[in-house]
Amino acid sequence: MLVIYSARRDYLLAVAIQTIAYSGMIAVMAITPVAMSDIGYSFDKATLAVEMHLVGMFSPSVITSYLIDLVGGSILLLVGFVIMMFGSLLFLANDSVAIFTTSIALVGIGWNWAFVPTSGAAVNMFRGPTKVVAMAFNDTVMLTMVAVVTAFGGLFYSAIVCCHGHRASALFGSNCAH
């Protein structure tokens, strides 16, 4: 009975970590092009920032499994969250395209290293038909929160920029990510 409880607790923790990582990443990814457009940057420059973010999200996958084996999933996910936080806080440095692009790329790298280890752990906790149900629950919880964050991100962004300016919106992204 204790083993079943422990597996459920670990599984729910993995679901929670994935949900936080994905929601934090999507909050920053959704707001960045809007903020860049509001400041006056062209669509092409905002697109470049998002493209570099996507490179940051997926290119580390080439070495992520090696890093999980090397340092462990728990350490890698902590490193991922630190990188996400650093990337989010870097937005506060200034409003240059270089800062926007570097910041959002770092958030992408951090997301990969926070998300992949917990995703793999959740998949490996179950066998057979139970595995399918567990992953369906995982994806439903995670993607529902992502939808909520995306849907309300624009409202939060508008409220923050209205009251505190564009740099405060980067801090909002940082707080969402962690």
Side-chain angles (χ1 to χ4, degrees), residues 21-74:
Y22 215 125
S23 298
M25 178 277 299
I26 204 74
V28 175
M29 186 177 80
I31 290 171
T32 298
V34 175
M36 291 180 76
S37 175
D38 283 354
I39 291 169
Y41 289 120
S42 68
F43 178 79
D44 291 342
K45 290 185 178 171
T47 300
L48 172 67
V50 173
E51 288 171 345
M52 293 301 100
H53 173 68
L54 293 173
V55 169
M57 285 176 66
F58 299 110
S59 63
S61 294
V62 174
I63 63 167
T64 300
S65 64
Y66 170 76
L67 292 174
I68 291 169
D69 291 342
L70 184 68
V71 300
S74 297

Side-chain angles (χ1 to χ4, degrees), residues 6-173:
S6 178
R8 286 184 185 159
R9 187 191 67 218
D10 291 346
Y11 169 74
L12 293 175
L13 181 60
V15 171
I17 291 169
Q18 288 178 72
T19 301
I20 292 166
Y22 215 125
S23 298
M25 178 277 299
I26 204 74
V28 175
M29 186 177 80
I31 290 171
T32 298
V34 175
M36 291 180 76
S37 175
D38 283 354
I39 291 169
Y41 289 120
S42 68
F43 178 79
D44 291 342
K45 290 185 178 171
T47 300
L48 172 67
V50 173
E51 288 171 345
M52 293 301 100
H53 173 68
L54 293 173
V55 169
M57 285 176 66
F58 299 110
S59 63
S61 294
V62 174
I63 63 167
T64 300
S65 64
Y66 170 76
L67 292 174
I68 291 169
D69 291 342
L70 184 68
V71 300
S74 297
I75 299 295
L76 190 59
L77 82 88
L78 289 173
V79 169
F81 275 119
V82 168
I83 292 171
M84 284 179 76
M85 179 176 278
F86 178 75
S88 295
L89 292 174
L90 186 59
F91 280 105
L92 297 173
N94 66 48
D95 295 338
S96 71
V97 173
I99 290 294
F100 272 110
T101 303
T102 302
S103 297
I104 198 169
L106 287 171
V107 169
I109 293 167
W111 170 82
N112 183 290
W113 289 347
F115 180 80
V116 171
T118 53
S119 179
V123 166
N124 293 323
M125 286 183 198
F126 299 95
R127 301 280 177 249
T130 308
K131 182 183 241 180
V132 175
V133 172
M135 288 315 299
F137 174 79
N138 176 76
D139 290 350
T140 300
V141 169
M142 179 180 56
L143 295 175
T144 299
M145 185 55 79
V146 165
V148 168
V149 168
T150 303
F152 289 101
L155 294 173
F156 290 129
Y157 171 79
S158 296
I160 289 169
V161 168
C162 177
C163 296
H164 302 289
H166 292 287
R167 289 214 177 131
S169 67
L171 189 57
F172 161 75

